[in-house]
Amino acid sequence: LSSGINAEYGEDVTSRLDAQPPPSSWFSRIFSASSVPKVKGLYVFGGVGCGKTMIMDMFYQELATTSKLRTHFHDFMLDVHERIHAFKSTLPPSHVNDRKCYDPIPVVAREIAKESRVLCFDEFQVTDVADAMILKRLFQTLFEEGVTMVATGNRPPEDLYKNGLQRSNFLPFIPMLKAHCEVLDMESIVDYRISEPKPLDIPGGRANYIQDPGQLDKIFHYLTGGAEGAVCRPVPVLGREIRVGVSVGPILSTTYRELIERSHGSSDFRALARTFSHVIIKDFPQLSIKEKTQLRRFIVMMDIFYDRNVKLIISSDVPLHDIICLQDADQKAKDELRMLMDDLKLTMEEAKSMSLFTGEDEVFSQKRALSRLTEMQCADYWDLPHNKHE
């Protein structure tokens, strides 16, 4: 399946891209849309570990154009919001909210289109209302400029941003997505990441241990050639600095408390992923719904580290597959849920139908994090070069 998609679809994309004029060029504006060959994108969805990201990465690597971008969708939207903010900062205060005359979204979209004619998104998932409200306008301009989108997701297009706030404003994006992308259901319930890993070329032969920080010290000593000069070095992040653990070169040794308990955001984890190729984490507890903030922070970190091929070595309180407890919330969380339902005057049936309460996307994210954590223990993953995404 993957070789067929990449060979046929990749050749079609390349040939059509070669026939396209540059985005926003005089030629593309003179001629009608029908006279310029459009390149239809691809939206691939399916369960955890079924090979979506692998297919997209293979396609991206084989795509014969340099005008392409492969990124996590969450990172892409962060960049979009930063560009919008930068554009607004150039306007006089009286014009900032005048969308009719000074709408930043088409400007940002045309800027992106000039940089990349193919956008490849991993984990196309809409959970933020700020993202949901601008997607139609953003992608309408991108598609008009001839940009092709290839994306992976866990939901069919019809279920994107399901039961989200102000979803009626988001709904017009769905037919636009389907009009510009072929939709492919992987139709797989098998998680191919879960298999018995081959021994790694490090002390102990594996990258996860139960309550054994001493073994992680041995691995740190081995990877750094003696751990001489290990210091807590500052890592620059958007004009500030963060400090976690100690490091030698690209090898970081830290603890759960330093990395996850502190209020680090996605920009912090991206900076760490650029700086360090190996991250050793000691004293990792079992996470559950009771630690929702830490759990979400860990999931964000996992997505970023996995995307950059960061090698993760962990000493935890429980076996690796139990690091995230996927059981129902405890009684306290259920009581809080009932109180919230009472405040909103919702029945249990109504509450269960809402993603606000069922947390379908969050459960999928937890399963994805566990699946990726398992793959990160494998020799094939360790053979991948560190991807700094500079």
Side-chain angles (χ1 to χ4, degrees):
L1 175 63
S2 62
S3 60
I5 291 173
N6 290 317
E8 297 174 17
Y9 183 67
E11 290 175 5
D12 181 58
V13 169
T14 300
S15 63
R16 290 176 179 268
L17 284 173
D18 290 340
Q20 275 190 335
S24 295
S25 70
W26 172 85
F27 182 87
S28 66
R29 294 189 182 280
I30 289 293
F31 288 89
S32 66
S34 59
S35 65
V36 180
K38 295 296 182 181
V39 186
K40 201 162 189 177
L42 188 65
Y43 179 85
V44 184
F45 72 95
V48 167
C50 66
K52 305 183 298 295
T53 300
M54 179 190 71
I55 289 176
M56 187 183 69
D57 286 344
M58 290 172 62
F59 162 76
Y60 182 82
Q61 291 165 9
E62 295 175 10
L63 187 59
T65 179
T66 57
S67 183
K68 59 184 180 179
L69 172 69
R70 189 268 190 222
T71 185
H72 195 279
F73 184 68
H74 178 70
D75 287 351
F76 173 76
M77 292 308 300
L78 285 175
D79 178 61
V80 167
H81 287 294
E82 288 174 3
R83 291 175 188 243
I84 291 173
H85 175 74
F87 175 81
K88 287 183 174 180
S89 67
T90 66
L91 300 176
S94 60
H95 295 160
V96 169
N97 296 319
D98 187 356
R99 205 175 84 183
K100 184 175 292 186
C101 298
Y102 300 96
D103 186 359
I105 294 176
V107 177
V108 168
R110 284 192 285 270
E111 188 178 89
I112 294 170
K114 289 179 181 178
E115 298 168 358
S116 306
R117 297 166 71 188
V118 181
L119 296 175
C120 293
F121 297 128
D122 191 24
E123 300 301 338
F124 195 101
Q125 183 174 323
V126 185
T127 57
D128 188 287
V129 64
D131 293 345
M133 295 304 100
I134 68 171
L135 276 188
K136 180 182 181 294
R137 290 154 57 212
L138 176 68
F139 277 88
Q140 181 175 355
T141 304
L142 287 173
F143 291 142
E144 287 173 353
E145 294 292 323
V147 171
T148 299
M149 184 187 87
V150 178
T152 70
N154 63 296
R155 290 176 176 269
E158 297 81 3
D159 288 347
L160 287 171
Y161 197 52
K162 188 176 181 181
N163 299 310
L165 295 173
Q166 303 180 45
R167 190 171 188 257
S168 59
N169 294 330
F170 170 81
L171 288 177
F173 171 73
I174 296 175
M176 179 191 298
L177 172 66
K178 295 172 74 173
H180 289 86
C181 294
E182 298 286 348
V183 178
L184 175 64
D185 184 353
M186 292 294 288
E187 296 181 336
S188 174
I189 59 173
V190 178
D191 186 347
Y192 291 100
R193 296 190 186 112
I194 300 176
S195 59
E196 190 65 31
K198 298 177 182 177
L200 303 175
D201 186 21
I202 56 176
R206 54 195 177 91
N208 64 94
Y209 295 87
I210 300 176
Q211 296 180 342
D212 195 353
Q215 181 62 32
L216 267 59
D217 289 336
K218 293 178 183 178
I219 294 175
F220 182 65
H221 191 277
Y222 172 81
L223 292 174
T224 59
E228 293 184 7
V231 295
C232 180
R233 63 193 263 205
V235 176
V237 185
L238 301 176
R240 55 188 175 83
E241 293 180 344
I242 59 171
R243 296 173 182 267
V244 293
V246 296
S247 62
V248 177
I251 314 298
L252 172 68
S253 178
T254 184
T255 64
Y256 167 84
R257 182 179 295 275
E258 290 179 308
L259 197 59
I260 306 297
E261 286 283 356
R262 293 180 184 174
S263 56
H264 292 135
S266 59
S267 57
D268 300 322
F269 292 125
R270 285 201 300 274
L272 292 172
R274 286 194 299 268
T275 305
F276 302 109
S277 60
H278 296 68
V279 176
I280 298 172
I281 308 177
K282 301 177 183 177
D283 306 323
F284 208 103
Q286 184 182 49
L287 295 175
S288 70
I289 194 67
K290 290 183 291 184
E291 298 86 27
K292 182 174 284 189
T293 299
Q294 293 89 334
L295 180 55
R296 288 177 174 172
R297 196 173 292 142
F298 172 66
I299 290 170
V300 169
M301 183 195 77
M302 283 296 305
D303 283 341
I304 292 172
F305 281 13
Y306 181 85
D307 206 35
R308 274 67 166 178
N309 300 336
V310 173
K311 313 309 181 285
L312 202 60
I313 304 107
I314 290 181
S315 173
S316 56
D317 293 344
V318 295
L320 199 65
H321 55 81
D322 289 331
I323 277 185
I324 299 179
C325 180
L326 297 175
Q327 298 175 354
D328 291 336
D330 64 5
Q331 190 60 47
K332 179 181 178 182
K334 291 178 181 177
D335 290 342
E336 291 175 350
L337 174 59
R338 290 192 182 96
M339 290 173 63
L340 186 56
M341 287 170 53
D342 290 342
D343 291 341
L344 298 177
K345 295 181 170 55
L346 293 173
T347 66
M348 180 61 74
E349 185 175 341
E350 290 171 330
K352 285 182 177 179
S353 69
M354 299 178 65
S355 59
L356 172 66
F357 297 102
T358 59
E360 294 174 10
D361 285 320
E362 195 154 329
V363 171
F364 180 89
S365 297
Q366 294 169 14
K367 291 180 178 179
R368 182 183 68 236
L370 282 177
S371 177
R372 289 182 166 180
L373 184 58
T374 299
E375 183 184 355
M376 291 167 85
Q377 313 303 307
C378 301
D380 288 344
Y381 180 86
W382 275 63
D383 289 340
L384 296 173
H386 179 217
N387 184 3
K388 296 182 179 181
H389 276 215
E390 294 291 356

